[in-house]
Every structure is written in C-alpha cells, then in structure tokens.
C-alpha cells in the first residue's frame, strides 16, 4: 500500500483513531508493506491542513499506536517523510512557503521564499530526527518523498532548482540535499534501518528530469546507500499523472521502473493504475519490478490481497479510477472516501450488525443508492425485495459506463449487483413500483430510490429540430446526424460531447457559465478538456440557448445582453442536469407505510453521496 494523503489526522498533525483503524484494516487485509502517508518533518514542511506530522517528539506516542495496530494486523510499515517545500500555502503554514529557488508555483500560484544554506542544514537534520522518531515509534523503515513536486523533488530537478551554489546546477549538486538527508538518517538510526526513496522516472514537464537523467540519479543514490526505489512519474505541473483517472493507461509507470531495475540490485516498487491482480502478477513475472503498489485499490478494498490469496477474485471491490473520494477530498479538506467503498475512513465507526427486529422491506429503484440500501438492509437480516422499472440494474451508472475511458465503471456496477444478490436481496426487473404494488406486498418499510429524470427545457421552437437527452444518446436508444449541438457543459455534457466526437460527429458544446466541466474533479477535467480540444469540439461558454427559429437557427444570449445565432445542426442533445423523481414519495404521503427516500429522488448529488446516504439508511433501520 503506497502512501496516499487521507486527511484523517488532526489539524495539529497528530494521529487519530480513524487513521489507526484505516491502516489496521489494510494490514489485516493482507498488504505486506504499508507506507504511511506524508509525515511532515518540519512545521514549514506541511502540505495539508489535516496531514500527519513527525517534526516533534510529541508525535511518537500516536505513531506508536499506529505501528502497533499495523503490526498486529500482520504487515510491515514504513513512514513516508516529507517536506512540501513550495507545494503548500500560507493558509496552512501561517507564513510564506519555502523552496530551493523563488519560482512561482504553477499549481498554487504562490511565490515561495528561497531557502538559505543554514535553513537547508536545519532541514537535513529535521529529516534525520524525524526518522529517529519513526524508528522509536516502531516503523520498520522510512521512505523519503522525492517525487511529485515536493521539496526534494524540487531540489533534484532543473525545472524548480535554479540555484548557483553547491545545491544547484549539476545533477550531483541537485542530489546533494537528498544524499545528506540519507547520511543524517544513518547518523540517528544506524546503518541497518531501511531507507527508500520515492522518485519520478520522468517528471513529464519541460525542463524536468527525463528517464535517462533519472537513471544516472538512481546510480548515484544507490551508491550513496539508499535501500530501495519507489518509482513514479510527474510533478506539480503534470499533476494529472500523480494519481491519474481512467483516461491514463494502465501501469503507466512500469516502463520507468523496468529501466531503473536494470541498473540497480536494490528493490524496485512500481505503482500507478495497477488495479488488476493479473496485471500485477504479470509485471512481477516479467521481472519489471520487485514490489507492486496498489494504492487506490487498497482504498476500494482493504481485503484485496487476502481475496487474491484465496482465489476470490470476483469478490474484489474494484477501483475504477474515478478520483471522486480519494483525490476529490484533497480539494475540500475532508476525510478520504470512496465511490466503491463507503466504509473508507470510518472503519472503526461503521459496523453492520443484526437488526433488533426483522422487517419486510421494499426498495423502489435499482440504481447505486437502491442497491446499497438493499444490500445493507439484507445484511442486517431484513427481508428485502428490490424493484426496478427497467430491464437493467444500475440506474445512471449504466450510461456512465458509455463515454470514452469510463468502461471500468461496469466492473463496479457488476460488483454492486453481485453483493446485493449475495446478501439475499430479491430482485424484480421491469416492474415499476406503484401504490397498488406496495399495497399488495404490504412492507414494513419502503425505501424510495427512484433517482432523477433528465431535465429538458421548455425553449420556444424546440420541436423544430430533432433533440434527445444525453441519457438516451449514451444509452444507445437514439442517434442524431453528423452535426450536433450539446446544450449544457457540466460533466455529463462534456462526456457526451466526447462520446459523439469519438464517433466522428462535429460537436458544438454550449454552456451558460464561464467554464465547462466545473463539477469534475480537477484531474479528470484536465484529460477531458484535452480530448475535447484534440477532437475540435467547439466550446461556447457564457451562452444560453433561448430560442430555436423555424430555419433551425439557435439564438443564444451572451451575458443576457448580446444575441448570437448558431445554425446548421442536425440535432440537439440536452445535458442540463437532473431533477428528482419523487412522484412515488408524493403518492405515498399520508399512507400507513413507513417511507424513507434516498439518493437523487430527494436531492441531486453524485453517486458517492448517494451511496453513503444509502448505507446510512441501511444501518439506521
């Protein structure tokens, strides 16, 4: 399990029960080595408001609790030591960030302060002292974070290091701080305490380090005495490759690991979109790496290694690289979560226990919320029947699988369905729930998870040109001609535009706000925007379609003042969002039945929120 910031620490950097439970669950799940996330070695090295700290002896007791829990679970545990350098904010530090060179940070748009030589000597000692604390706390080793744009990465790269003293210029000089940190750790921890380094094979930026220079760096770091190399890629300016979405190829860092493995006998860890155990096994079998880091897969399923060992591959809860909970939380300072696993970050808090009284439950709707609620209620011993009006389970997840690079969502949908059936949920397809059906079944509890309906605006003249919803287009129910206008530039609008342009259609995307894809996780949006640009989708922002004329011309208002005409389209796709389908709830109001609503039928949100709310319903009754 490679290091991934969870935001489960207190804002003073101390360990919480939630953090201990989170790591213990993955140790019990069979992960052989757990590298604990980004422990800051200095007050000025903090990169996250709720990140862990190890810059003072006061952190040793909490870290000891964590290592004891991991060891009890059966795993080895390393501490990742980090100094964020320029990759943080004054809001977190209370002062200006520091860096090797005062260069404007491309991701944070903040100008850091250049470190003095005395400060460099201080931080070298801080790494050594932090490693000493880690050893005293029971960690089996430490990993130095020298990748992904943090301070040591900044020192090692010409992209961020423009110093002219002994800590800049040549590669040997740029590696000096990192090697002196290793020497400091040896001074405090002795020669036999394992020290590895996380390093980018390729920084994926202009002026950044490429693989040939990295190979030389590895040789020098190997000779200096590092015990292993954790090979990644990218830096802040190429952050989409740090923890990438499904738009990035599988195992995309392995090619760098393989080249580095040829020049050192030290163990090589590779990671990055290695979700499939068969793929992980193939990398090992081909001797391209020595250890496989399965990061976000460990979030989705802490029991993954145990399930592989037992041959229960169809029981693995899959990571689909959506980034909604694992990366999305970083932008909101909230604890880690997961679309596939609503237990994440709450491992010691949530328990599925037998209900005090068994109830007869009817669940209306077989989307993600309905499936999660039904499964949880059934696991607690209730007799659950789920009714879905269509011929398929999955709701909006069925069509979410259709845009380019989103097919992995099908694996998650298959898992949801399997676990509901395994829990004992009786599933009825092509059977809409009506008041009459409820009277016939006579349940003790009705869970309404009927989801939402696509919004179709009442625009004058809309009947004059063929138009369809994005849902129907993605579902393959309908098609349109070669030149298409997509109205609505949220995530659905962007994805259906990508879907249509991939089919060779000429697409124009209209959005009334200033930007498109604003509801996407930033790293997902980056790749979608690249695809739309490459396929020449015409994006018209600050435009609102307000009229369609008899000749097919669409009249748009720009900032509610100026008008603009768009013409020549064969059809329109409406991607204007969703409205709740609460008709059943209204029909049951005032009846004898106990009714609870969950998901989009109450309030429109993403699937992650719907699933967590559905689990809460299942645990409540």
């Amino acid at each position: 399990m490679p290091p991934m910031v969870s935001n489960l620490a207190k804002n003073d950097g101390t360990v919480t029960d939630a953090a201990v439970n989170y790591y213990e669950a993955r140790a019990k799940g069979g992960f052989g080595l757990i590298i604990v996330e980004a422990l800051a070695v200095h007050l000025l090295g903090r990169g996250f408001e709720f990140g862990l700290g190890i810059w003072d002896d006061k952190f040793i007791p909490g870290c000891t609790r964590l290592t004891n829990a991991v060891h009890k679970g059966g795993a080895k545990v390393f501490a990742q030591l980090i100094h964020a350098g320029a990759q943080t904010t004054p809001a977190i530090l209370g002062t200006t960030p520091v860096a090797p060179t005062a260069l404007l940070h491309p991701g944070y748009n903040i100008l850091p302060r250049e470190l003095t030589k005395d400060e460099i000597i201080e931080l070298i000692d801080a790494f050594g002292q932090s490693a000493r604390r880690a050893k005293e706390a029971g960690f089996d080793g430490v990993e130095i974070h020298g990748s992904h744009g943090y301070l040591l990465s900044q020192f090692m790269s010409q992209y961020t290091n423009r110093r002219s003293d002994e800590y800049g210029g040549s590669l040997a000089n740029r590696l000096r701080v990192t090697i002196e940190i290793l020497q400091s750790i040896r001074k405090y921890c002795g020669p036999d305490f394992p020290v590895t380094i996380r390093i980018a094979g390729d920084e994926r930026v202009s002026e950044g380090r490429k693989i040939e220079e990295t190979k030389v760096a590895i040789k020098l770091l190997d000779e200096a005495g590092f015990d292993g190399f954790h090979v990644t890629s990218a830096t802040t300016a190429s952050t989409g490759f740090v923890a990438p979405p499904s738009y990035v190829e599988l195992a995309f860092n392995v090619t760098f690991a393989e080249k580095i493995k040829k020049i050192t006998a030290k163990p090589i860890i590779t990671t990055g979109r290695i979700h499939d155990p068969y793929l992980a096994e193939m990398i090992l079998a081909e001797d391209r790496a020595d250890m496989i880091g399965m990061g976000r897969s460990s979030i989705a399923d802490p029991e993954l290694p145990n399930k592989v060992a037992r041959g229960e591959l169809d029981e693995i809860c899959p990571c689909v690289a959506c980034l909604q909970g694992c990366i999305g939380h970083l932008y909101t300072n909230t604890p880690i979560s997961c679309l596939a696993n609503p237990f994440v970050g709450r491992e010691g808090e949530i328990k599925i226990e037998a209900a005090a009284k068994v109830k007869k439950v009817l669940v209306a709707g077989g989307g993600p919320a309905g499936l999660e609620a039904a499964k949880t209620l059934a696991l607690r011993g209730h007799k659950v029947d789920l009714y879905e009006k269509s011929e398929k389970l999955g709701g909006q997840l069925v069509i979410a699988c259709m845009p380019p690079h989103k097919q992995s969502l099908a694996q998650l949908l298959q898992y949801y369905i399997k676990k509901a059936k395994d829990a004992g949920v009786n599933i009825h397809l092509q059977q809409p729930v009506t008041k009459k059906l409820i009277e016939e079944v006579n349940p003790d509890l009705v869970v309404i998870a009927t989801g939402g309906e696509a919004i179709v605006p009442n625009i004058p003249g809309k009947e004059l040109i063929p138009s369809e919803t994005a849902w129907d287009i993605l579902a393959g129910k309908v098609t349109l001609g070669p030149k298409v206008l997509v109205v609505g530039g949220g995530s659905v609008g962007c994805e259906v535009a990508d879907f249509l342009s991939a089919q060779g259609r000429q697409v124009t995307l209209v959005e009334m706000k200033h930007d498109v894809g604003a509801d996407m996780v930033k790293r997902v949006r980056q790749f979608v925007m690249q695809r739309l640009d490459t396929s020449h989708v015409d994006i018209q922002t600050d435009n609102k379609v307000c009229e369609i004329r008899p000749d097919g011309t669409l009249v748009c208002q720009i900032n509610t003042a100026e008008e603009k005409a768009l013409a020549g389209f064969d059809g329109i796709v409406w991607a204007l969002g969703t409205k709740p389908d609460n008709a059943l709830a209204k029909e049951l109001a005032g009846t004898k039945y106990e009714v609870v609503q969950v998901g989009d039928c109450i309030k429109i949100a993403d699937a992650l929120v719907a699933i967590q709310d559905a689990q809460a319903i299942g645990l409540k009754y």
Side-chain angles (χ1 to χ4, degrees):
M1 178 184 176
M4 299 165 290
V5 174
S6 65
N7 279 351
L8 293 175
K10 294 181 180 177
N11 62 4
D12 63 356
T14 53
V15 171
T16 61
D17 290 343
V20 171
N21 293 332
Y22 169 75
Y23 284 109
E24 183 180 21
R26 279 130 192 101
K28 289 179 177 178
F31 285 91
L33 172 63
I34 290 175
I35 307 177
V36 173
E37 62 189 270
L39 288 93
V41 302
H42 194 282
L43 270 169
L44 295 183
R46 292 170 295 142
F48 304 92
E49 185 174 346
F50 296 97
L52 292 168
I54 198 166
W55 64 80
D56 190 278
D57 285 0
K58 70 180 181 181
F59 295 108
I60 295 175
C63 288
T64 302
R65 277 205 307 127
L66 194 156
T67 60
N68 285 343
V70 172
H71 286 144
K72 184 179 178 182
K76 297 294 185 181
V77 58
F78 277 26
Q80 185 190 61
L81 304 183
I82 190 173
H83 191 299
Q87 200 155 287
T88 185
T89 68
I92 293 172
L93 302 182
T95 187
T96 302
V98 297
T101 307
L103 293 171
L104 190 70
H105 192 284
Y108 291 77
N109 199 32
I110 292 171
L111 183 66
R113 175 177 62 79
E114 182 171 305
L115 284 160
T116 66
K117 287 187 182 180
D118 287 343
E119 288 175 319
I120 292 173
I121 292 169
E122 178 191 350
L123 76 86
I124 289 169
D125 187 69
F127 270 95
Q129 291 276 17
S130 295
R132 185 262 306 167
R133 295 182 190 106
K135 185 177 181 181
E136 290 181 19
F139 283 99
D140 300 297
V142 294
E143 173 182 276
I144 307 304
H145 202 338
S147 189
H148 297 167
Y150 295 105
L151 184 65
L152 298 188
S153 170
Q154 293 161 27
F155 265 104
M156 289 191 285
S157 175
Q158 291 185 105
Y159 178 66
T160 43
N161 185 346
R162 312 291 171 85
R163 298 178 74 98
S164 55
D165 60 9
E166 66 267 37
Y167 292 108
S170 69
L171 177 61
N173 278 356
R174 286 182 274 123
L175 292 174
R176 189 182 303 276
V177 168
T178 301
I179 291 173
E180 290 181 354
I181 283 171
L182 175 63
Q183 293 166 350
S184 177
I185 293 172
R186 296 295 185 215
K187 180 180 78 172
Y188 286 107
C189 299
D192 299 325
F193 188 60
V195 184
T196 63
I197 183 168
R198 197 175 211 194
I199 186 168
D202 188 316
E203 293 188 300
R204 299 180 185 269
V205 290
S206 173
E207 295 187 272
R209 194 179 60 252
K210 304 300 180 184
I211 184 60
E212 292 306 317
E213 187 182 33
T214 298
K215 286 162 62 177
V216 178
I218 293 293
K219 193 69 176 173
L220 295 173
L221 295 171
D222 188 353
E223 292 172 356
F226 277 97
D227 297 305
F229 301 96
H230 187 169
V231 181
T232 64
S233 67
T235 185
T236 308
S238 52
T239 189
F241 289 91
V242 173
S246 56
Y247 295 87
V248 174
E249 66 185 17
L250 297 174
F252 64 100
N253 287 325
V254 173
T255 182
F256 305 127
E258 180 180 20
K259 290 179 180 180
I260 289 170
K261 184 168 168 53
K262 291 178 180 178
I263 62 170
T264 177
K266 303 288 179 62
I268 302 297
I269 304 171
T270 188
T271 189
R273 292 218 65 211
I274 306 173
H275 305 309
D276 186 336
Y278 284 111
L279 175 58
E281 187 67 19
M282 183 60 70
I283 294 166
L284 294 175
E286 293 179 344
D287 202 29
R288 303 176 73 191
D290 301 295
M291 301 174 71
I292 306 296
M294 300 182 80
R296 286 170 292 162
S297 291
S298 75
I299 298 172
D301 195 337
E303 288 282 329
L304 186 149
N306 285 346
K307 291 176 181 178
V308 173
R310 294 193 297 262
E312 299 172 352
L313 301 189
D314 61 345
E315 292 291 332
I316 295 172
C317 181
C319 170
V320 294
C322 68
L323 307 191
Q324 288 186 37
C326 56
I327 297 300
H329 79 287
L330 291 177
Y331 301 115
T332 57
N333 278 334
T334 55
I336 193 169
S337 59
C338 179
L339 175 66
N341 181 4
F343 287 91
V344 172
R346 302 183 293 168
E347 285 81 1
E349 173 189 338
I350 300 176
K351 291 181 175 62
I352 295 180
E353 299 174 330
K357 180 182 178 182
V358 175
K359 292 185 176 183
K360 188 177 183 181
V361 182
L362 185 151
V363 178
L371 287 167
E372 179 65 29
K375 178 197 73 176
T376 307
L377 288 162
L379 288 173
R380 299 192 62 216
H382 296 300
K383 306 300 181 184
V384 183
D385 283 83
L386 182 149
Y387 293 84
E388 166 58 39
K389 65 182 179 180
S390 71
E391 71 281 3
K392 294 180 181 179
L393 293 169
Q396 291 185 51
L397 267 187
V398 174
I399 56 176
C401 302
M402 297 304 295
H405 294 278
K406 299 291 292 291
Q407 290 71 40
S408 59
L409 281 170
Q411 299 174 44
L412 183 58
L413 178 53
Q414 290 164 355
Y415 177 81
Y416 285 153
I417 295 169
K418 181 183 187 303
K419 300 313 289 183
K421 290 179 177 178
D422 289 349
V425 177
N426 297 313
I427 294 172
H428 310 266
L429 297 176
Q430 294 182 290
Q431 192 162 354
V433 176
T434 62
K435 186 177 179 181
K436 181 181 178 182
L437 175 64
I438 292 171
E439 289 171 347
E440 291 173 357
V441 175
N442 194 29
D444 301 309
L445 174 67
V446 178
V447 178
I448 300 179
T450 47
E453 299 174 334
I455 295 173
V456 178
N458 189 21
I459 293 175
K462 71 176 182 180
E463 73 282 354
L464 299 174
I465 186 171
S467 65
E468 305 290 348
T469 68
W471 291 11
D472 285 344
I473 291 289
L474 292 173
K477 295 179 179 179
V478 292
T479 188
L480 292 171
K483 187 175 181 181
V484 181
L485 178 77
V486 177
V487 181
S491 58
V492 175
C494 290
E495 288 179 358
V496 78
D498 188 12
F499 177 81
L500 291 167
S501 64
Q503 296 177 347
R505 286 171 168 76
Q506 184 179 345
V507 181
T508 298
L509 178 64
V510 172
E511 166 58 38
M512 64 186 296
K513 296 179 181 177
H514 189 61
D515 290 308
V516 298
D519 58 337
M520 294 180 175
V521 176
K522 290 180 182 178
R523 296 184 194 183
V524 175
R525 184 181 184 276
Q526 169 189 337
F527 289 98
V528 175
M529 292 299 103
Q530 288 175 0
R531 287 182 58 82
L532 297 182
D533 181 61
T534 301
S535 58
H536 305 293
V537 171
D538 179 18
I539 299 176
Q540 301 275 343
T541 58
D542 298 304
N543 280 278
K544 180 181 180 181
V545 177
C546 55
E547 180 187 354
I548 300 173
R549 292 175 178 164
D551 62 356
T553 300
L554 286 86
V555 179
C556 296
Q557 278 193 333
I558 305 173
N559 297 325
T560 69
E562 182 183 347
E563 285 192 350
K564 179 169 67 175
L566 299 171
F569 297 102
D570 300 297
I572 301 174
V573 178
W574 306 114
L576 294 170
T578 310
K579 60 182 179 181
D581 178 3
N582 53 19
L584 182 60
K586 291 179 179 179
E587 190 176 5
L588 294 179
T591 64
K592 68 174 184 177
Y593 301 104
E594 184 175 12
V595 177
V596 61
Q597 294 176 262
V598 65
D600 282 356
C601 67
I602 307 175
K603 183 180 179 181
I604 303 302
D606 59 33
L608 188 151
V609 173
I611 290 167
Q612 290 184 335
D613 289 348
Q615 185 194 61
I617 292 295
L619 295 172
K620 179 179 179 180
Y621 289 92

